Amino acid sequence: MNAIFSYDFLFSFIQMILLVVFAPLFSGITKKTKALLQNRTGADITQDYYDLYKWWGKRTVVTPHTGPIFLLAPFMYLLSTMLAAFLLPNMLTNLTFGDIFVFVSLLAIGRFFMALSSFDAATAFGGMGGSREIYVSTFVEPVMLLALLSAILKNDTTAVSGMIFNSGAQQINVAGILACVGFFILLLAENGRIPVDNPDTHLELTMIHECMLLEYSGRLLAVIHLASMVKGLLFMTLFSMVFLPLSLPLVVKIILTAVSIAVMETLNNKMRLFKVRAYLLATGGLLLLAIVAQ
Amino acid sequence: MTNYDVIFFEIAIICYILGCFTVLIPRAKQLFAHYFAQVMSILGSAIILFIAGRYLLVGETALTKVVLVGNYTLAIDAWSAVFLCITGIAGVITSIFAMDYALGYMGKRLRELSGLWNLFLLAMILVLVARGAFSFLLSWEVMAIVSFLLVNHESEKKDTWLAAYQYLVMTHIGTAAIMIAFFIVGSGSTGLSFGALNMSVLPEFARNTAFIAAFLGFALKAGLVPLHVWLPNAHPAAPSHVSALMSGVMLKIAVYGFGRFIFGFLGPIEFWWGAVVLIIGLLSAFLGALYAQMEKDMKRLLAYSSVENMGIIFSALGVGMLMLTTSYKEYAVLGFTAALVHSFNHSIMKSLMFMVAGAVSHAVEDKNIEKMGGLGKLMPWTAVCALLGSVALAALPLTNGFVGEWLTLQSFVFLAMADAGTGLRLLAAFAFIMMGMTSALALGCFVRLLGIVFLGRARTRRAESAHEVSKGMIIGMAIPAFLILLAGLVADPLVGIAQHVVETSIPVRSVISAESFLLWGQSGGLLKYEPFILFFVAVILAIFSWLVIYRGAILTRRDVTWNCGTVPTLRQQYSGTGFSKPVRRAFDFLLKPRREVVYLQKEHKYFGRSMVFTLTIPDRFTEKLYIPLQHHLVKTASFLRRIQAGSVRIYIGYVMVAMVLVLIWGAL
């Protein structure tokens, strides 16, 4: 109970709010960079805020078969990402209320409820998305744990605050670089980016994440998109803090990550769904090397 | 003063025995017999829960070395108290559920069902308090036979008795293995009481053999791969409340027995024992989760999920055993604590889910999930309980299911850190990969179960007209659902108790310099996870979002889904088989599903023909291991039958040949 009235709690809470507020901005940076790389002018960096505002004001249309889970799922998705944001260590405090496994598992709450809601509209598309999401996560999850294990072994702790890369104390070694590459691939896979998923299309052959939210509209859609953006920013922050071996300010590192996601998306194609298995297993091999080389 | 423990324990046993004797009540009063038996089992289980809980929380008991009859001594220590607690809780909640649920068996040997129910609980409790090899094995055997009779309750159905007899054979192989283990350990000790067995001194080879026998026996009861084949057959055959008790408690009794062996009887632990337990545990977890996601029968699905969770429990035990052989002995506590905590939590959530399966199949009269759908609106209370149970079994944070898996992951971390060499580190990496796949598959499995059964539209007429179950059944399900949340939020003291139990149980041979360390606490603990604070934040966010998102003009128009100009039909809804297709395809090489397409009309080759598609996923172990084994067994037996000609003269000839051989051997 004492912990609730501590400054650590307050700062973590403020950080959670800040991450939610700035998440659309970083998503905008990725989109703008991608547009520039594709010789388009692209929308403004702040476009995502306008989109969210637009959806927020619209009416929601719901299929008659749906029940409370359908309305609850977007909130649970946002809640899981916000709780994870609450757990990240920040500039002001080192004390957090859960370790890195808790952080990753919290995000699974969002996946659980989004996949669940995909059944509720009783259409073919929803189930397709949920099914593919579960398939991809079956291979993302073990590789993610390997990435975390490599970071844990490097720093001898499971607390995120103990893992923050510090160029003064740590050397850049082969294991670190392997883990960095491995986690970057995971970041793409976990956030529905090319080559695993394509966030820009609505084609039944390719989409995974977008499939599940096809039935959503209006304010609920805004909540889901906001949650996805927060999740993206969370992974970018974790990547920049723990895995990216550069001695730059955190914000610069996050922007760099956002830009490199755009570069990766421009250079690559969407992969066939059933090739994702081999792709992620190769990533797992990379991380295994990182663990052995530690 | 403290003699109350003994008196109450005896009252509990008398309650169960009275419950057993309700079979003698005339058939005309079967309803009274049933209610009386269930009240007795609730009462007995509550007393057991009280005694065991008192021992764990207050730390005192008079139940040490009580002589029941003749040489039959019984006693409670910390290790058995935890499992008595598990039995007590599950006994109370499943008996409440059974009160209304078993009424479905009215006129179908209801009195026998309720009487055996009490005997089953009694046998499990006697296993836990037995303090000698003989009394342990006797109670173990009673437990096995009573559970066989309960599984075989609907013996008119062929599937049921096939499953029941398979279970009977398998469980006796297990009992034989445990007997062998006891005999080997007993050969090196002064007696067969547990105290004497703990002091047994054995040569290397005998200890290894005893370990193999004990692991075989208990792994069979726990349903670890490849000895799990009876489990997914026995569970759907048994009445649902029996499955709940079998999966919730009986499998944990195997953990209890195995703990007795590794903590005491077998002496110092070898490195390879731990490695074997860990690897078998991990494989069980992974394969259990994989098969669970493929399954269409709701209770088979839950049975495979039990295989998965028992795998997690045994892998945590394996880590503890491995740590005892390294130089970081004190961290072995973490692995054993994880196993204990997960045993406790799993018994609650799995009893709940089997009760849900009972309620649903009661309402739909079918266990096939493909024939359900949309039950969430018709059975809201069952649906909420199922949601909580599924969330816990998918190991999501803030539920109790997460705590055990999280502690198991932490024990893997310590395994990786324990040694500078890469051997243990690679083992830990393997454990991480398996646990990652397991948790993702389990999440998918329970999303699929909930989604197909409770969400969307009803797939059959029967599912359309389903009704919510009676209040008694809802109460039986609501209590464990509440416990899931409670044990998830106040996990800290629970883990503390488990740690204390482990610390008092391991150093039978003082392997650990009994220096307690704080595993998990508000400050200075080794591990960090504060569910209460996360829950607090979640509540703040929930209130906030209610005010901002949901209360305003969110809704809404209800309108049919856009389906490219057509009205979506029932058949466009995703099926459970379809949902698990990508995973099935990815693991094709393991599952080897059998697909069969039959064309019914042949007038047109390409147009308008109807076809039937069947997909079966046979259990690979049954196909590749058990059926060939059975085949060879029958072949050998029929070969040996040749010498059994049935003629007395030939048998006398055999006796003479044997005598001559013995004489020659003696002369040599």
Side-chain angles (χ1 to χ4, degrees), chain A residues 165-284:
Chain A
F165 180 80
N166 175 355
S167 60
Q170 285 167 330
Q171 290 179 334
I172 301 171
N173 56 8
V174 183
I177 292 168
L178 286 174
C180 172
V181 174
F183 194 82
F184 187 70
I185 296 173
L186 280 175
L187 187 153
L188 298 176
E190 184 78 0
N191 290 299
R193 294 283 175 178
I194 292 174
V196 174
D197 189 6
N198 190 344
D200 297 334
T201 68
H202 283 96
L203 212 66
E204 73 244 42
L205 289 177
T206 57
M207 60 184 167
I208 302 174
H209 183 257
E210 299 292 311
C211 241
M212 293 194 288
L213 45 103
L214 219 50
E215 289 306 317
Y216 282 104
S217 52
R219 198 173 282 186
L220 295 178
L221 187 66
V223 171
I224 293 176
H225 275 290
L226 182 62
S228 299
M229 288 168 195
V230 176
K231 188 177 167 191
L233 180 58
L234 277 179
F235 270 93
M236 287 196 271
T237 315
L238 190 68
F239 175 71
S240 317
M241 259 199 298
V242 177
F243 291 94
L244 196 62
L246 295 174
S247 43
L248 295 168
L250 184 61
V251 179
V252 180
K253 285 211 272 189
I254 296 176
I255 292 173
L256 209 63
T257 315
V259 170
S260 43
I261 289 174
V263 174
M264 278 296 283
E265 287 212 305
T266 314
L267 291 176
N268 281 313
N269 289 324
K270 161 94 176 62
M271 187 179 280
R272 242 189 101 203
L273 187 67
F274 291 101
K275 291 204 170 159
V276 169
R277 180 182 67 171
Y279 179 67
L280 286 170
L281 286 183
T283 314

Side-chain angles (χ1 to χ4, degrees), chain A residues 3 60-66 71 75 97-99 105 116 119-120 124 130-131 141-142 145 215 219 272 277, chain B residues 377 397 402 406 410 433 455 457 528 530 533 545 548-550 554 556-559 561 572 574 579 582 586:
Chain A
T60 308
V61 187
V62 175
T63 311
H65 317 293
T66 55
L71 300 178
F75 163 68
F97 302 98
D99 65 7
S105 308
L116 199 56
F119 280 99
D120 215 10
S131 158
E141 198 87 332
L145 285 183
E215 289 306 317
R219 198 173 282 186
R272 242 189 101 203
R277 180 182 67 171
Chain B
K377 287 192 211 72
F402 176 70
W406 180 72
Q410 301 286 350
I433 295 172
L455 303 181
R457 291 162 70 182
K528 209 96 194 106
E530 285 173 30
I533 297 206
S545 76
V548 174
I549 306 174
Y550 288 95
I554 173 167
T556 86
R557 209 172 85 218
R558 290 209 173 254
D559 216 330
T561 308
Q572 287 176 343
Y574 235 60
F579 188 79

Side-chain angles (χ1 to χ4, degrees), chain B residues 105-146:
Chain B
Y105 292 92
M106 190 120 89
K108 296 178 197 157
R109 296 182 294 275
L110 180 62
R111 289 166 303 155
E112 285 87 337
L113 184 63
S114 306
L116 285 172
W117 173 262
N118 275 285
L119 193 57
F120 187 35
L121 277 166
L122 179 62
M124 289 196 289
I125 284 160
L126 288 181
V127 170
L128 294 173
V129 294
R131 271 301 163 281
F134 177 71
S135 45
F136 181 91
L137 284 171
L138 184 72
S139 329
W140 183 271
E141 187 57 21
V142 173
M143 178 178 90
I145 290 176
V146 172

Side-chain angles (χ1 to χ4, degrees), chain A residues 4 18 50 54 64 101 108 111 152 179 206 212 228:
Chain A
I4 289 170
L18 285 180
Y50 292 114
K54 176 184 75 187
F101 295 124
R111 192 192 305 137
I152 289 167
T206 57
M212 293 194 288
S228 299

